[in-house]
Each structure stands twice: as C-alpha cells, then as structure tokens.
Amino acid sequence: MSTDTSERSSTEAAAERTDAFDDETAAELAAEIDALREEVADLRDESGDDETSMVIVATKGTLDMAYPPLILASTAAAFGWNVTVFHTFWGLDILHEEKSKNLKLSAVGNPSMPVPNAVAALPGMDSMATRMMNRKIADNGTATIEELIDVSLDQGVDLQACQMTIELMGYDEDDFYDGVTTGVGAATALQRMTDADVQLLV
C-alpha cells in the first residue's frame, strides 16, 4: 500500500516537473517569437518594403519633354512614393540651373505643331514655338520647370545627374540646382531600377 502511494507521488511529481518545464519552454518560445516579429518589423521599416518606388529616366531636354518626368515624379512623391529621376544626355539640361530656364520647343518633326515641317524648319520657328509655349504656360498658371524642380526636391524626389554626361558636356557640379544628386553612374541607376516597382523612360 505504501509502495503504491510512493509510486503515485513520484509520478505526480514528475508530471508537475514536466508541466512546469513545458510552461517554461512555451514561454521562452513565445518570447523568442515576439522578438523575431519585432526584428522583422524593424527590418521592413528600414528596407521600406511597404513603400512603392519609381525610377524615371529622363533623356530629353526640350521644354515640352521636361514636364512629364517632373510632373510624374512630384505627383508620385505626393502619394508617398519613393521616386528617383535619373537625368542623362539632353535630359541633364533640365537640372542645369541656367539652361533649364531657356529650354526650347522644337517645331520640326513635332506632329502637334500646326505647321508643316517645311515651314517649321525655317529660321526662327523654334524660338517662335517656344515663346508660344511659354505664353500658354504663363496664361494657364502652370508651374515652371524651376518651380517643379523645387517642389520635387521638397517632396524628397531624388533628382540624379548622370556623371558620364556631366563630363561629356563639360558641365560642373555647381551648374546644377542645390539638392541635385551628382556623380551617379549607370550601374547605380540600373540597380535602383531593378529594385523599383515602376520604371519609365521619357
């Protein structure tokens, strides 16, 4: 009789130790899971996984082609997107503080111009088309290129200037608006495009 009682006591004690061990192990595992969840959340915040990103490659420096990349970039940034505009070749003139104020509109080969190419090719036609476009922009109250650049930079858009084009055109880094990122190569631009949700070539 006493042997049975002793065996039951040992069994109960073992069961209690097992339960205690299981409770302790479960608590430790729960704590580790919580810690891992917090770590994953921090990593997501750091990497910006929840943020939509867009890269625009701007290659043209005429007055009409300077607007699309800046309008898209500033609008997307207003939505909270992470936006980069990589300016290369003639697109670099958009970021050039002096040249951006004198961008021209080409009348030749422009199907939207109300004159045939033979007339559009006459001397002075580009200047006239540019004046007409600038007058429309002013009359409509549309933001200027300089204003769009300021808005884009204020909203955190990364306006990048292609380093190879800077050297090719003989520009100086001081020629560009404050806040423009210079010294960016094609490899960096490609990597940014690879990681972006949206890529556009303008």
Side-chain angles (χ1 to χ4, degrees), residues 48 54-55 78 96 126 163:
M54 177 170 71
V55 174
H96 194 286
D126 284 353
Q163 183 60 34

Side-chain angles (χ1 to χ4, degrees), residues 15-188:
E16 288 175 357
R17 283 197 299 274
T18 301
D19 290 342
F21 178 77
D22 289 344
D23 290 344
E24 186 177 351
T25 302
E28 289 176 355
L29 286 174
E32 288 180 8
I33 290 172
D34 288 342
L36 286 171
R37 282 175 175 163
E38 289 179 7
E39 189 174 344
V40 170
D42 291 342
L43 289 171
R44 281 179 175 166
D45 289 341
E46 290 175 8
S47 63
D49 280 347
D50 295 334
E51 190 177 46
T52 302
S53 59
M54 177 170 71
V55 174
I56 301 173
V57 180
T59 62
K60 297 179 175 63
T62 57
L63 179 61
D64 53 331
M65 294 307 292
Y67 273 90
L70 294 174
I71 290 173
L72 290 170
S74 56
T75 303
F79 288 148
W81 291 20
N82 182 356
V83 184
T84 299
V85 186
F86 180 70
H87 296 75
T88 185
F89 276 83
W90 305 123
L92 199 59
D93 286 352
I94 300 171
L95 302 180
H96 194 286
E97 194 163 2
E98 181 181 342
K99 290 183 176 294
S100 68
K101 296 170 183 171
N102 296 292
L103 297 179
K104 305 296 183 187
L105 178 65
S106 177
V108 178
N110 189 339
S112 298
M113 295 299 294
V115 293
N117 277 338
V119 177
L122 294 174
M125 287 300 292
D126 284 353
S127 296
M128 186 181 75
T130 301
R131 283 199 300 273
M132 289 172 59
M133 185 70 184
N134 279 325
R135 190 178 305 127
K136 276 197 170 189
I137 290 170
D139 292 344
N140 193 50
T142 303
T144 64
I145 295 302
E146 186 176 10
E147 289 169 339
L148 283 174
I149 287 174
D150 287 341
V151 169
S152 297
L153 289 171
D154 287 345
Q155 290 179 334
V157 176
D158 187 7
L159 298 178
Q160 298 181 340
C162 172
Q163 183 60 34
M164 187 204 74
T165 311
I166 291 175
E167 296 170 2
L168 180 67
M169 301 296 183
Y171 293 156
D172 189 89
E173 292 187 359
D174 294 334
D175 293 335
F176 301 101
Y177 287 95
D178 291 339
V180 168
T181 303
T182 56
V184 181
T188 302

